[in-house]
Amino acid sequence: MWYLILGHDGDDVLDRRRAARPAHLARLEALRDEGRLLVAGPCPAIDAEDPGPAGFSGSCVIAEFASLEEARAWAEADPYVGAGVYVRTEVRPFRRVLP
């Protein structure tokens, strides 16, 4: 089943986000390579493609997992959690309709 994972950034975490990004991306690339990643990306803190020093308010991942528990465990092991980038993570079932 698909799951929506929303990571919510804390305040002033842009430097921590940048430092943890390679490890974060490696996990997403592994999901992609397994055919389990629908979409992933950050949410700019301002209405701009490149928010510059404003940074990001969080990230969205939609990926396939065997269960809600597995999706939650994957989300909690994210390098952004360990680096203190995400102050809160939500994981919810997601039903893909389009495309």
Side-chain angles (χ1 to χ4, degrees):
M1 182 165 178
W2 295 102
Y3 293 90
L4 168 66
I5 300 169
L6 295 173
H8 300 270
D9 283 20
D11 295 329
D12 301 317
V13 296
L14 187 56
D15 288 339
R16 284 184 263 171
R17 179 183 262 274
R18 287 179 179 144
R21 188 169 189 261
H24 171 78
L25 290 178
R27 295 177 81 235
L28 292 170
E29 290 165 351
L31 286 178
R32 178 201 60 205
D33 294 348
E34 295 168 5
R36 297 172 45 208
L37 182 65
L38 182 61
V39 67
C43 302
I46 60 173
D47 189 15
E49 181 74 23
D50 179 359
F56 301 90
S57 62
S59 301
C60 170
V61 174
I62 300 177
E64 191 173 36
F65 294 93
S67 67
L68 180 58
E69 293 77 22
E70 184 182 314
R72 284 183 176 148
W74 187 91
E76 287 304 314
D78 193 289
Y80 283 172
V81 172
V85 175
Y86 293 161
V87 294
R88 182 169 55 94
T89 305
E90 296 176 57
V91 181
R92 295 185 241 168
F94 179 83
R95 185 170 155 228
R96 182 178 181 183
V97 175
L98 294 172

